[in-house]
């Protein structure tokens, strides 16, 4: 009998395991991951940015966890010798009409307590000489890291704390009773007093297995990237972002210098026809049918048809992708870009067509379900893990074990 079983070995599941081990050093903790490696899905295919927390609605979980998480991620990397760099980033308006939105973003950043400066086009050029813009914000605390390395360390710490970690183990069924939950997997059956669902792209389905209605469905949005050829990396010093459309949770295609020195451009945000669909042609009938028969999707599509079509065009046409990037750096040419990895975002969508904006953590009987943990959940992971543990009712029997 385990005290806690965590479903999902992405950055949220692993950080929760680590936080649980700290809170209850004598607890029997189990982490189950269906893939053969940690961080196989969203976590291992993201932009590798340690976000500052400028974008998010003041008072939201995203705003709080990201600002605190940015700090705790940097401290974690320092403590454990993980490569990272606080390189800062610029957010730039490329047209006059974007300036009011840039100003709003600046005010929001100040409200969120982020270290930022409003900078002129000339000052932007001092930081990023190849950017053409009409105004910008310099965000000082933004950094870069490889989140796969962070996850490897989280997993190592869980093991050192006495936790049990199992790869290649997919939870297929949950049998709940008043005191225990039985997890049936492709790799044996496990019994736990408390279950934490951190299943990312499958979190809504796992919640249902645990008899919790997530009241939202995960809709997968693929983010495709190009990479600058090594000879053109000089065009980007750090991180260059456009002013985002406030109606969407995505930040717009941007340039990211990765911690290994390569420069990635993207990601776009195109509906994926498969939850774990990393290629344009990937298709899964169940995943596709669920989206197509979901009223929430059609309400979203009706409202944002133009944006959706633009994203599809940008996904299919390298020229269109290049044009988006040229708004930031006019010198970039299509031949400077080569396709690289893609990631799929797990974005919860409500029946009324609204995208769930904040992190969403729901409670069931002896269970907690993380039903929306999109960006900046990697940055925020240490804080999300701590918050989940704080939401779990005190486990008196484990306190006794401590005495
Ligand atoms: C393209 C892209 C770029 C991003 N950029 C950034 C960024 O720069 N900075 C940032 O902070 N955030 C970024 N994000 C967001 C961030 O990566 C995610 O919010 C975060 O990784 C979510 O972590 P997770 O553990 O919830 O999900 P995941 O990493 O997807 O992990 C969930 C795990 O659950 C497992 N699982 C699912 N079902 C089962 C089952 N039944 N049994 C067992 N295991 C199961 C899956 O295999 C998976 O490994 C980005 C995301 C994407 C997609």
């Amino acid at each position: 009998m385990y005290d806690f079983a965590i479903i999902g070995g992405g950055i949220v599941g692993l950080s929760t395991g680590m936080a649980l081990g700290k809170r209850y050093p004598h607890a029997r903790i189990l982490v189950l991951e269906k893939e053969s490696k940690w961080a196989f899905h969203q976590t291992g295919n993201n932009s590798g940015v340690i976000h500052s927390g400028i974008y998010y609605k003041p008072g939201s979980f995203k705003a709080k966890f990201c600002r605190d998480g940015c700090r705790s991620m940097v401290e974690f990397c320092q403590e454990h010798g993980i490569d990272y760099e606080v390189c800062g980033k610029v957010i730039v308006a490329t047209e006059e009409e974007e300036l009011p939105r840039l100003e709003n973003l600046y005010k929001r950043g100040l409200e969120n307590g982020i270290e930022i400066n409003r900078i002129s086009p000339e000052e932007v050029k001092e930081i990023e000489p190849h950017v053409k813009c009409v105004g910008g914000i310099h965000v000082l605390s933004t950094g870069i890291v490889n989140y796969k390395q962070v996850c490897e360390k989280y997993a190592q710490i869980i093991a050192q704390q006495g936790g049990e970690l199992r790869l290649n183990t997919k939870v297929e069924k949950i049998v709940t009773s008043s005191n225990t939950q039985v997890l049936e997997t492709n790799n044996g059956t496990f019994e736990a007093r408390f279950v934490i669902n951190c299943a990312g792209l499958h979190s809504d389905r796992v919640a249902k297995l645990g008899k919790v209605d997530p009241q939202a469905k995960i809709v997968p949005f693929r983010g495709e990237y190009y990479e600058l050829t090594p000879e053109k990396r000089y065009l980007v010093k750090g991180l260059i972002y456009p002013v985002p459309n406030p109606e969407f949770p995505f930040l717009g295609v941007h340039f990211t210098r990765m911690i290994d020195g390569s420069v990635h451009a993207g990601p776009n945000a195109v509906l994926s026809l498969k939850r774990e669909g990393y290629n344009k042609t990937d298709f899964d009938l169940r995943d596709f049918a669920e989206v197509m028969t979901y009223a929430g999707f059609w309400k979203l599509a009706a409202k944002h048809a133009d944006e959706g079509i633009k994203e599809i065009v940008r996904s299919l046409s390298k020229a269109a992708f290049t044009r988006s990037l040229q708004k930031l750096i006019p010198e970039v040419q299509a031949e400077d870009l080569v396709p690289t990895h893609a990631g799929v975002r797990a974005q919860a969508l409500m029946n009324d067509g609204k995208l769930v904006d904040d992190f969403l953590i729901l409670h069931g009987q002896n269970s907690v379900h993380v039903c929306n943990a999109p960006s900046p959940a990697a940055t925020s992971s240490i804080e999300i893990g701590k918050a989940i543990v704080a939401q779990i009712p005190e486990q008196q029997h484990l306190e006794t074990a401590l005495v």
Side-chain angles (χ1 to χ4, degrees):
M1 169 76 89
Y2 294 91
D3 296 301
F4 302 103
I6 296 164
I7 305 171
I11 201 160
V12 174
L14 292 169
S15 74
T16 304
M18 192 171 70
L20 272 173
K22 277 198 190 127
R23 172 67 186 87
Y24 297 110
H26 296 276
R28 287 199 67 199
I29 298 170
L30 173 69
V31 183
L32 300 174
E33 165 56 50
K34 69 183 170 67
E35 305 292 350
S36 59
K37 289 183 187 140
W38 308 114
F40 196 84
H41 289 291
Q42 294 179 90
T43 306
N45 294 300
N46 66 20
S47 299
V49 175
I50 306 175
H51 286 295
S52 64
I54 182 174
Y55 299 107
Y56 315 109
K57 199 167 154 198
S60 63
F61 290 123
K62 276 188 179 177
K64 182 178 172 358
F65 293 164
C66 187
R67 190 194 54 225
D68 297 348
C70 176
R71 220 172 290 137
S72 45
M73 182 57 66
V74 166
E75 282 167 12
F76 184 85
C77 293
Q78 285 168 345
E79 189 183 338
H80 296 284
I82 296 170
D83 279 350
Y84 76 98
E85 190 186 330
V86 179
C87 53
K89 84 169 177 185
V90 290
I91 303 172
V92 296
T94 54
E95 289 165 22
E96 294 287 331
E97 64 186 38
E98 290 172 0
L99 286 173
R101 277 198 274 137
L102 187 76
E103 195 53 35
N104 287 343
L105 194 56
Y106 178 65
K107 286 186 191 142
R108 179 169 271 197
L110 292 180
E111 236 184 297
N112 283 333
I114 313 298
E115 216 186 325
I116 47 178
N117 296 318
R118 188 79 167 76
I119 52 176
S120 66
E122 296 70 35
E123 288 167 318
V124 170
K125 276 220 178 289
E126 283 169 25
I127 302 166
E128 292 289 349
H130 301 275
V131 167
K132 186 161 175 262
C133 68
V134 294
I137 298 172
H138 188 203
V139 188
L140 285 90
S141 55
T142 310
I144 49 175
V145 72
N146 180 336
Y147 284 113
K148 283 189 205 165
Q149 284 174 9
V150 172
C151 282
E152 286 299 330
K153 187 49 80 179
Y154 286 179
Q156 216 177 316
I157 292 171
I158 296 171
Q160 282 161 359
Q161 288 167 339
E164 210 175 299
L165 297 124
R166 291 190 180 232
L167 292 164
N168 302 307
T169 308
K170 179 179 180 188
V171 174
E172 290 165 343
K173 193 172 172 195
I174 304 177
V175 182
T176 50
S177 68
S178 57
N179 297 324
T180 67
Q181 317 239 18
V182 177
L183 306 181
E184 293 179 14
T185 79
N186 60 332
N187 209 357
T189 297
F190 304 89
E191 205 174 351
R193 287 184 220 276
F194 202 96
V195 167
I196 301 135
N197 159 16
C198 303
L201 284 154
H202 297 282
S203 53
D204 55 344
R205 290 176 180 165
V206 171
K208 281 188 185 152
L209 291 182
K211 310 230 170 349
V212 167
D213 177 4
Q215 292 168 8
K217 192 177 281 295
I218 291 292
V219 176
F221 286 96
R222 189 173 50 253
E224 297 154 332
Y225 294 84
Y226 283 88
E227 187 177 354
L228 277 183
T229 55
E231 319 67 83
K232 292 294 170 134
R233 285 181 187 166
Y234 72 88
L235 291 174
V236 176
K237 305 283 172 230
L239 306 171
I240 305 166
Y241 283 63
V243 185
N245 179 342
E247 296 222 19
F248 294 103
F250 314 127
L251 302 179
V253 292
H254 48 265
F255 289 98
T256 313
R257 184 155 58 82
M258 309 295 278
I259 196 72
D260 66 2
S262 60
V263 176
H264 287 196
N268 57 2
V270 66
L271 180 72
S272 175
L273 308 183
K274 183 179 176 189
R275 290 199 181 195
E276 292 165 0
Y278 296 97
N279 300 307
K280 293 187 209 310
T281 51
D282 283 350
F283 177 82
D284 179 275
L285 185 58
R286 178 183 175 196
D287 294 350
F288 178 68
E290 269 190 23
V291 173
M292 290 298 126
T293 54
Y294 185 48
F297 172 74
W298 290 107
K299 288 175 193 155
L300 177 79
K303 198 164 163 218
H304 298 294
D306 284 2
E307 280 300 317
I309 290 165
K310 271 192 227 157
E311 287 289 0
I312 292 169
V313 171
R314 195 161 56 178
S315 168
L316 296 175
S317 154
K318 188 178 181 186
F321 205 108
T322 309
R323 277 197 298 278
S324 301
L325 296 171
Q326 282 171 335
K327 283 192 185 159
L328 299 169
I329 301 184
E331 280 164 73
V332 168
Q333 300 300 319
E335 58 270 24
D336 304 334
L337 298 163
V338 281
T340 176
H341 77 283
V344 183
R345 305 171 183 86
Q347 174 61 52
L349 175 66
M350 289 183 290
N351 202 27
D352 62 5
K354 289 202 182 101
L355 296 167
V356 178
D357 193 34
D358 211 352
F359 298 140
L360 179 65
I361 300 173
L362 299 174
H363 292 248
Q365 193 185 12
N366 298 324
S367 61
V368 165
H369 301 262
V370 181
C371 289
N372 196 49
S375 187
T379 304
S380 318
S381 54
I382 293 175
E383 302 306 316
I384 297 177
K386 284 197 270 187
I388 291 171
V389 173
Q391 288 184 25
I392 294 174
E394 284 295 309
Q395 304 289 306
Q396 302 294 347
H397 65 287
L398 295 174
E399 301 291 359
T400 320
L402 273 176
V403 179

